[in-house]
Amino acid sequence: RNSVIAMVQTRDGYLWFGTPNGLCRFDGYQVRVYKSVAIGSGVNLNAINALCEDDDGNLWIGSDRGLLFFDFEHEKLANVSFPQHEMAAKKINAVLAQRGVVWLATESGLYQYLYAHGPEQPDIQAESFRSFNPGERFNALSNTRDYGLFAGSNRGLYRYDSVSREFTAVRFMEGLHAELSNDIRTIYEARDKSIWIGTFYGLVHYL
């Protein structure tokens, strides 16, 4: 048996599943499994934690040992190279890529990069690097309906304003029952702009 950690349906209709043993694609009839090993390091990168399709239909994959990218032309996983080499080995819990910006939720902070598409993998732009709250474990990312971003960590909920570029804590969690926990695992903004937040101990609906 296998555990499914992440799932996404891409615009071509395929269902993709991230598991502890690799990336799986289901076409409605059969499942194909893709695996990746870091060449020369002996590090197995098969444990998949997060999946994201960007605006151009490309698939980004967060793993236990860095960021991967699915190369559709060659039907394989490729490791994404970073100017800051320590990022290549970080555990990525969530990834969000859109309009040339990729966000990475890791065990030691939230990171933002600009990127451009290369022949086999994205070209990460070194000068665009930004980091937020490196002392926190970030677990979840979600777009807002006004083109911002929600980020959930083990210490609460944050919002990024793409116009002002400000990253601020959302304080309404502090008034909730302590048993619900500030350890946020998933976030969803509904059509009415209310927010559903999954925490370690329960569900919050913020109107």
Side-chain angles (χ1 to χ4, degrees):
R1 292 185 177 183
N2 218 338
S3 300
V4 174
I5 309 301
M7 180 177 70
V8 69
Q9 184 173 24
T10 48
R11 63 192 64 185
D12 54 14
Y14 288 121
L15 285 173
W16 297 83
F17 303 95
T19 80
N21 297 308
L23 178 68
C24 303
R25 186 185 72 183
F26 180 58
D27 62 7
Y29 298 96
Q30 60 184 357
V31 175
R32 181 169 182 179
V33 179
Y34 301 88
K35 297 186 177 183
S36 174
V37 174
I39 299 174
S41 70
V43 176
N44 191 318
L45 299 178
N46 294 336
I48 306 298
N49 304 314
L51 299 171
C52 169
E53 183 186 28
D54 67 19
D55 309 85
D56 299 311
N58 301 299
L59 190 64
W60 299 70
I61 301 107
S63 82
D64 270 3
R65 298 287 290 176
L67 185 65
L68 305 176
F69 186 82
F70 190 80
D71 180 354
F72 282 94
E73 182 179 352
H74 300 96
E75 288 266 317
K76 67 177 184 179
L77 289 174
N79 302 324
V80 177
S81 301
F82 285 90
Q84 293 83 5
H85 298 296
E86 68 275 6
M87 178 59 68
K90 284 184 179 291
K91 178 182 178 183
I92 296 174
N93 298 320
V95 56
L96 192 60
Q98 58 179 1
R99 296 185 291 276
V101 180
V102 60
W103 291 87
L104 304 173
T106 78
E107 296 286 292
S108 55
L110 178 66
Y111 298 85
Q112 180 198 61
Y113 291 89
L114 300 182
Y115 68 89
H117 289 297
E120 293 187 11
Q121 65 165 276
D123 178 22
I124 302 295
Q125 299 176 16
E127 67 279 3
S128 68
F129 170 77
R130 293 185 70 191
S131 65
F132 305 86
N133 300 34
E136 297 181 35
R137 182 188 75 245
F138 280 84
N139 306 310
L141 297 170
S142 177
N143 288 318
T144 66
R145 294 190 178 274
D146 56 2
Y147 304 103
L149 177 89
F150 282 122
S153 82
N154 61 324
R155 297 183 187 175
L157 182 67
Y158 296 88
R159 182 186 180 97
Y160 177 79
D161 187 313
S162 58
V163 177
S164 66
R165 302 184 71 197
E166 292 183 349
F167 186 74
T168 56
V170 179
R171 298 295 183 188
F172 75 85
M173 292 290 292
E174 296 176 354
L176 300 176
H177 199 287
E179 289 183 357
L180 282 173
S181 167
N182 278 328
D183 192 349
I184 295 175
R185 300 307 176 93
T186 188
I187 311 161
Y188 174 74
E189 185 181 38
R191 292 180 181 178
D192 61 3
K193 292 192 175 183
S194 65
I195 309 167
W196 293 87
I197 303 164
T199 77
F200 189 73
Y201 290 118
L203 181 66
V204 176
H205 187 200
Y206 179 66
L207 301 174

